[in-house]
Amino acid sequence: MDNVAKLEIDGKSYSLPIAVGSEKERGIDISTLRQSTGCITLDESYGNTGSCRSNITFIDGEKGILRYRGIPIEVLAEQSSFVETAWLLIYGRLPNRKELKRFSDLLTQNEMLHEDLKFHFEGFPAHAHPMAILSAMINATSCFVPGVLDAYDPAKFELQAARLLSKVRTIAAFAFRKSRGLPIVYPKPAFKYTANFLHMMFSDPYEEYDLKPEVVRALDMIFLLHADHEQNCSTSTVRMIASSQANIFACAAGGVCALWGPLHGGANQAVIEMLEDIHRSGDDGSKFIVAAKDKKSGRKLMGFGHRVYKNYDPRAKIIKEQCDKMLRLLKIDDPLLDIAKKLEEAALHDSYFVERKLYPNVDFYSGIIMRAIGIPLEMFTVIFAIGRMPGWIANYKEVMDQVGGRISRPRQIYMGPTEQPYVQIDQRIKK
Ligand code: CMC
């Protein structure tokens, strides 16, 4: 196969090299395009743009494949844990026992927040959205962590990464307790990552939360399935901020903001809100499907569709099985699950969804599991953020380790007015 693309502009021909990835993906390398042709490319919302070369995660959207550092997501979901997968994503290979223990110990040693940070939580109103608190508190925490504002240093990176990954879970749980007017529960060093999070969320000073292994496992798997997803909106945001050499906490805080939107991480909350609406209205889902197909209705089938997956989101398949298992184990009969299954069934046989290759994504069933665990709706996107942290950290590291990396700075096609005079205020047209 010829690895050169030919481009013709105004009768002049140009050759552009084609970069080939390890999975044989091909991308036309346009890094010299403007210099040689005077033109830039235009790709609004970046559906056709490779923003970087990356070694972290591989997705084949047509075949429904997702691999972290080459390992299929199905294998990791069955055999690994969130913390081990985090190490894999960040360092590029599976850790040995010693490395895993060292990293777990670092997470434990860094689980506490500086005591003064409690006053910051008190400054938020009771109804504050936990994603706003999470983003603000990640930045605030950096002020209490020595060395965070120093330039990136590979020797200190493991500690910084562990601090961020560990503290984000404490911040998330404190944000939830604060929003409910509940006393803060400190982390317990004896508990592992996910169990510790559940403990901080749901224990009370007078009564410890009953940590059911199946619940811990289900939440750990949700974290793991969200751990990375290559150049999505929030990860691209993290890489963009990192390219300016900002610190790891600033990059993660930006990632949280990008994730918040309902078209990205906010979709898991939007799915449950949609299912609740359908349930309340007495619809079995069929009326909603009609509305979701009508652009004028302003409705979408939340939890369906994906920019990259045009077959089936492999994470959705794992989550759906986990969801059935969890509800059976906890003996929960959730009418929203029945509605979700009916919606899925109807959509999979509806030409609108079939022709547009719209399938359930990771968010379609994850909310039902989180509801069953007792995680409140407004915390769903926070759970996604905790899960995505290893991916953001791995991408941050990849940007910082790049030799000769430049600041990310896209260009634009300007469509505004051409040069015009400044009109004095008295001479401007009155409206
Ligand atoms: N319900 C109804 N129609 C849809 C939906 C949907 N959920 N998703 C896409 N479409 C339509 C869209 O209107 C367009 O129709 P047409 O060709 O007639 O104009 C067509 O399908 C192609 O969609 P698109 O707009 O090109 O898709 P996109 O790549 O821009 O957006 C998406 C991807 C995930 C933002 C979108 O599918 C969506 O809004 N889904 C619902 C929100 C959601 O579940 N988001 C979570 C994504 S997975 C978690 C994550 O990674 O963040």
Side-chain angles (χ1 to χ4, degrees), residues 57-59 64-68 71-73 228-229 309 314-315:
T57 288
F58 173 69
I59 299 177
I65 292 174
L66 169 61
R67 295 186 203 129
Y68 296 161
I71 304 181
I73 192 69
D228 195 41
H229 214 232
Y309 293 120
R315 302 166 302 172

Side-chain angles (χ1 to χ4, degrees), residues 66-191:
L66 169 61
R67 295 186 203 129
Y68 296 161
R69 302 284 189 180
I71 304 181
I73 192 69
E74 295 80 2
V75 176
L76 290 168
E78 201 182 311
Q79 304 196 25
S80 186
S81 67
F82 175 59
V83 170
E84 183 185 69
T85 297
W87 205 97
L88 165 74
L89 281 166
I90 296 169
Y91 292 104
R93 62 176 173 82
L94 287 166
N96 60 33
R97 266 184 214 289
K98 205 170 140 207
E99 288 163 335
L100 185 58
K101 167 141 189 354
R102 183 185 142 89
F103 192 59
S104 299
D105 289 349
L106 270 181
L107 292 175
T108 305
Q109 288 153 23
N110 288 285
E111 63 193 8
M112 286 293 290
L113 300 183
H114 193 287
E115 197 59 13
D116 290 349
L117 276 166
K118 276 207 312 206
F119 302 113
H120 289 248
F121 283 99
E122 280 163 24
F124 292 102
H127 58 266
H129 195 289
M131 282 296 272
I133 303 183
L134 187 68
S135 156
M137 290 305 292
I138 289 174
N139 255 329
T141 304
S142 75
C143 308
F144 293 80
V145 178
V148 156
L149 302 182
D150 298 348
Y152 170 73
D153 177 355
K156 293 186 191 150
F157 171 75
E158 186 180 24
L159 179 58
Q160 300 291 30
R163 278 176 171 156
L164 178 58
L165 188 60
S166 188
K167 289 184 194 305
V168 73
R169 142 199 75 161
T170 313
I171 296 171
F174 282 19
F176 163 69
R177 305 286 299 182
K178 157 76 195 151
S179 71
R180 295 288 159 110
L182 296 166
I184 277 170
V185 176
Y186 287 112
K188 225 179 183 182
F191 291 148

Side-chain angles (χ1 to χ4, degrees), residues 263-264 267 295 300-304 307 352 356 361 363:
L263 297 189
H264 192 9
K295 302 267 189 293
K300 267 185 172 181
L301 185 51
M302 299 312 284
F304 255 72
R307 171 61 59 83
Y352 174 95
R356 288 168 179 77
N361 58 50
D363 291 322

